[in-house]
Amino acid sequence: MTRRWTRSPNREIFGVVAGFAEWKDLPIKETRLIVFLIILFTSVFPGLVIYLLLAIYLPLQTEDDVITSYEARSFSQRKRNYKDAKWSEKSTEDLKKEYEELKKKVEDMESEMFDKEKDWDERFKDGR
């Protein structure tokens, strides 16, 4: 895995597709096949131009771009912990309280919207 999309030294032509596969942690051979088929079936000229522009634009991969297996595990663990913490922040009582507040707001809006006396008062004031 890499930190960003770079041209990979594991390259067939310029390393663009291999760099993308390493960045997104995808299998390189299958990614090359998919990109080849996309370029082939969507007309060759624009696909090759985009590929060449990426080959010019993307920097070559350095040692700093590579994520070690330890860093990858710690990153995925932090990501998992963040997701768990995000949902477990509120207690059941907090959620019930928030639900009751929202329920009251909806009831107030409904009563205001469907209040017959208010409707007649507005009609009388408008002269309908």
Side-chain angles (χ1 to χ4, degrees), residues 108-123:
D108 291 343
M109 289 188 316
E110 285 176 344
S111 66
E112 184 179 321
M113 192 71 171
F114 299 113
D115 187 8
K116 297 288 184 188
E117 289 179 23
K118 182 179 177 185
D119 184 45
W120 281 108
D121 288 341
E122 287 177 3
R123 289 183 183 188

Side-chain angles (χ1 to χ4, degrees), residues 9-27:
N10 304 330
R11 57 181 173 219
E12 288 288 318
I13 299 176
F14 290 112
V16 174
V17 177
F20 179 78
E22 289 173 357
W23 178 47
K24 292 296 182 181
D25 198 25
L26 301 169

Side-chain angles (χ1 to χ4, degrees), residues 5-9 11 14-16 19 54-61:
W5 189 4
T6 57
R7 288 186 296 127
S8 174
R11 57 181 173 219
F14 290 112
V16 174
L54 285 171
I56 293 168
Y57 174 72
L58 291 175
L60 193 57
Q61 187 180 90

Side-chain angles (χ1 to χ4, degrees), residues 8-46:
S8 174
N10 304 330
R11 57 181 173 219
E12 288 288 318
I13 299 176
F14 290 112
V16 174
V17 177
F20 179 78
E22 289 173 357
W23 178 47
K24 292 296 182 181
D25 198 25
L26 301 169
I28 294 174
K29 289 183 179 181
E30 288 82 354
T31 307
R32 282 184 183 138
L33 178 65
I34 290 170
V35 169
F36 173 75
L37 292 174
I38 289 171
I39 290 173
L40 184 67
F41 290 122
T42 59
S43 74
V44 177
F45 180 71

Side-chain angles (χ1 to χ4, degrees), residues 38-73:
I38 289 171
I39 290 173
L40 184 67
F41 290 122
T42 59
S43 74
V44 177
F45 180 71
L48 287 179
V49 169
I50 292 170
Y51 188 86
L52 290 174
L53 288 174
L54 285 171
I56 293 168
Y57 174 72
L58 291 175
L60 193 57
Q61 187 180 90
T62 62
E63 289 182 22
D64 295 337
D65 293 326
V66 178
I67 297 175
T68 63
S69 60
Y70 173 76
E71 290 174 320
R73 281 194 305 271

